[in-house]
Amino acid sequence: MSEEKSPRLFSPLKLRSVELRNRVVVSPMCQYMSVDGAPTDWHLVHLGKFAIGGAGLVFGEETAIEPAGRKTYDCAGLWADRHVRAYRRINDFLKEHGATPGIQLGHSGFRGSCHGALRNWEALTPENTTSECPPWTVIGPSVPRGAKPWPKIREMDRDNIAANLKRWREATLRSVDAGFQVLEIHGAHGYLIHEFLSPITNHRTDAYGGDLYGRMRFALEVTEVVREAWPLELPLFFRVSAVDGKGGVWNIEDTVALAHELKIRGVDVIDCSSGGVSGSTDMPIVPRVPGYHVDYAREVKHRCSVATMAVGLITDALQAEDILRAQSADLIALARELMWNPHWASHAAKSLGLSDPFSVLPESYGFRLRRREAEAQMPWNQVSSKRRQQ
Ligand SMILES: Cc1cc2nc3c(=O)[nH]c(=O)nc-3n(C[C@H](O)[C@H](O)[C@H](O)COP(=O)(O)O)c2cc1C
């Protein structure tokens, strides 16, 4: 096979004992379709189609470590043993079709107790109470300046932090039982960990605030408890907001310092995103141009000698291949493009000249599509296709 015929996008990647079949990753995507934290048939079909479509690593959505770590009533969670079986069923399916199942554990911090995207993240009010759970008081490192009266916000004290770390540990152990093979800590997008990191949202004067190392303490403690509970042979990812926003206070230098510390603590891949914290600033978001986080992934990869994942408006096979060939990242994550085309991997395989692009799909599809391709090459079809072009 020539250089061109062996695209990097379709080369496997070994992380600890786990071999991803290719570099196409399904980025975490909240679905707001869970019932009391548990995934449903929606998730089996939603995630299952990406495994059938040929992705190497399939992340489910941000999954709350405790009920109050959800954003909405419909968010995913893994705070109870009863959730484990439902995730295992999905993971068994993903593995059966050659994909590696990943979980993103998270806590919404003070971005919780609200309605979902379709209702513009409005805060839940007492009238929205469900039988199991009233709108809850949210937690964070500090009460944000100029906070609205609802949802109520509580600054975490040392006991709350200790209890929270325990929840991360328990959810990690459940992730093992559920058969996940990759775990990502959600440290981005203005949720709890990012709220501790950014000086916009962390005004503490104790050991969890102040200078960069004080603000990183919570993120690093979460990483330590998770790494300790997550089997040594399985890879750990961490999603960062590489910058709060354009000209943000948390910047790429802070991210590089954080990534160094995460690597020392056993994080294998830094997943580079941005944004989520703005507070009362009018900081603009990072402009949404194709591959808008790739520069951050490259910088972290080279300055910290750690594997990185690039995400953000990567839609085209050649674009993805160029990112890998330029050694800007080791993995390519896609979200919205995969929603539109869950079989993106096999289309990418064709664009990049893989000798049998249908091999990326299950054989029951590949067999039929190869036949269709052969039929299209028949002389009579060549004639009619020429006529159509005239
Ligand atoms: C529907 C939807 C839900 C998302 N949910 C999450 C999430 O649960 N966790 C997360 O870290 N990012 C989440 N994201 C962000 C994506 O993972 C991704 O970083 C972002 O959409 C940029 O990639 P894209 O241009 O390929 O869509 C979500 C994005 C979408 C579109």
Side-chain angles (χ1 to χ4, degrees):
M1 213 183 239
S2 72
E3 257 285 89
E4 288 68 22
K5 299 285 178 203
S6 52
R8 292 269 162 87
L9 192 59
F10 291 94
S11 61
L13 179 67
K14 185 137 193 221
L15 296 165
R16 300 196 182 228
S17 71
V18 175
E19 184 164 280
L20 308 179
R21 63 178 161 182
N22 59 47
R23 312 294 178 106
V24 180
V25 178
V26 180
S27 201
M29 279 183 269
C30 282
Q31 297 299 299
Y32 310 105
M33 290 286 194
S34 298
V35 176
D36 199 18
T40 61
D41 283 356
W42 172 269
H43 296 88
L44 176 69
V45 176
H46 163 71
L47 297 170
K49 68 184 194 254
F50 301 129
I52 289 175
L57 169 56
V58 179
F59 272 112
E61 65 205 82
E62 176 178 25
T63 305
I65 57 156
E66 62 177 5
R70 288 176 294 177
K71 285 170 282 195
T72 73
Y73 285 131
D74 306 320
C75 286
L78 190 44
W79 63 79
D81 290 342
R82 70 187 146 76
H83 293 136
V84 168
R85 191 162 10 142
Y87 287 107
R88 181 174 276 284
R89 172 178 174 239
I90 297 169
N91 291 340
D92 286 348
F93 183 86
L94 301 183
K95 288 179 197 166
E96 194 183 320
H97 294 287
T100 300
I103 183 162
Q104 185 191 52
L105 288 181
H107 192 294
S108 56
F110 52 64
R111 294 190 69 189
S113 201
C114 59
H115 293 283
L118 299 183
R119 284 189 60 179
N120 205 26
W121 310 110
E122 283 163 37
L124 294 175
T125 59
E127 301 82 73
N128 303 131
T129 301
T130 68
S131 52
E132 315 85 48
C133 179
W136 56 94
T137 299
V138 298
I139 53 169
S142 321
V143 176
R145 294 183 179 133
K148 294 184 191 130
W150 192 267
K152 287 199 178 112
I153 302 179
R154 191 179 65 228
E155 177 171 319
M156 290 166 84
D157 63 21
R158 296 296 272 256
D159 289 345
N160 300 143
I161 291 177
N164 198 268
L165 291 171
K166 189 164 169 279
R167 295 295 213 152
W168 280 95
R169 182 183 140 72
E170 290 163 357
T172 302
L173 292 172
R174 286 192 195 101
S175 305
V176 182
D177 290 346
F180 288 102
Q181 292 176 297
V182 171
L183 189 151
E184 176 167 274
I185 297 170
H186 196 346
H189 300 171
Y191 300 121
L192 186 61
I193 293 178
H194 187 189
E195 287 161 7
F196 269 90
L197 291 170
S198 176
I200 295 176
T201 38
N202 183 340
H203 311 299
R204 297 176 78 99
T205 51
D206 67 358
Y208 288 89
D211 68 6
L212 175 63
Y213 284 85
R215 284 181 279 113
M216 287 197 316
R217 180 183 300 269
F218 180 66
L220 299 180
E221 287 183 358
V222 169
T223 305
E224 284 163 12
V225 294
V226 169
R227 185 67 271 181
E228 208 255 325
W230 185 239
L232 256 185
E233 67 274 15
L234 298 181
L236 179 62
F237 289 34
F238 191 106
R239 178 165 265 200
V240 289
S241 276
V243 296
D244 282 334
K246 208 166 166 349
V249 187
W250 175 270
N251 59 40
I252 187 67
E253 293 305 319
D254 299 326
T255 294
V256 166
L258 174 65
H260 269 299
E261 297 297 327
L262 293 172
K263 186 185 159 191
I264 292 168
R265 286 163 179 79
V267 170
D268 302 290
V269 176
I270 308 288
D271 173 8
C272 294
S273 187
S274 73
V277 154
S278 60
S280 53
T281 69
D282 49 11
M283 172 178 57
I285 57 169
V286 173
R288 280 3 188 190
V289 296
Y292 55 95
H293 293 131
V294 173
D295 289 347
Y296 303 125
R298 183 191 313 115
E299 188 133 357
V300 171
K301 179 176 167 58
H302 293 289
R303 289 178 61 189
C304 305
S305 301
V306 67
T308 59
M309 182 152 88
V311 67
L313 270 187
I314 303 173
T315 54
D316 178 74
L318 279 172
Q319 178 196 13
E321 182 67 8
D322 285 348
I323 293 167
L324 296 173
R325 283 196 181 267
Q327 306 215 20
S328 297
D330 301 86
L331 288 164
I332 301 293
L334 302 89
R336 291 162 294 180
E337 187 63 18
L338 281 170
M339 274 204 289
W340 197 26
N341 178 8
H343 292 180
W344 185 88
S346 63
H347 292 267
K350 189 157 194 222
S351 308
L352 295 175
L354 205 76
S355 56
D356 179 8
F358 304 123
S359 63
V360 170
L361 296 169
E363 191 45 21
S364 53
Y365 283 18
F367 167 73
R368 296 287 171 188
L369 290 166
R370 262 179 235 116
R371 276 205 160 173
R372 189 184 71 154
E373 199 79 341
E375 284 161 13
Q377 301 307 320
M378 293 299 179
W380 51 88
N381 283 327
Q382 298 293 309
V383 172
S384 58
S385 98
K386 260 191 207 134
R387 265 203 210 116
R388 273 200 304 274
Q389 282 162 18
Q390 278 165 8

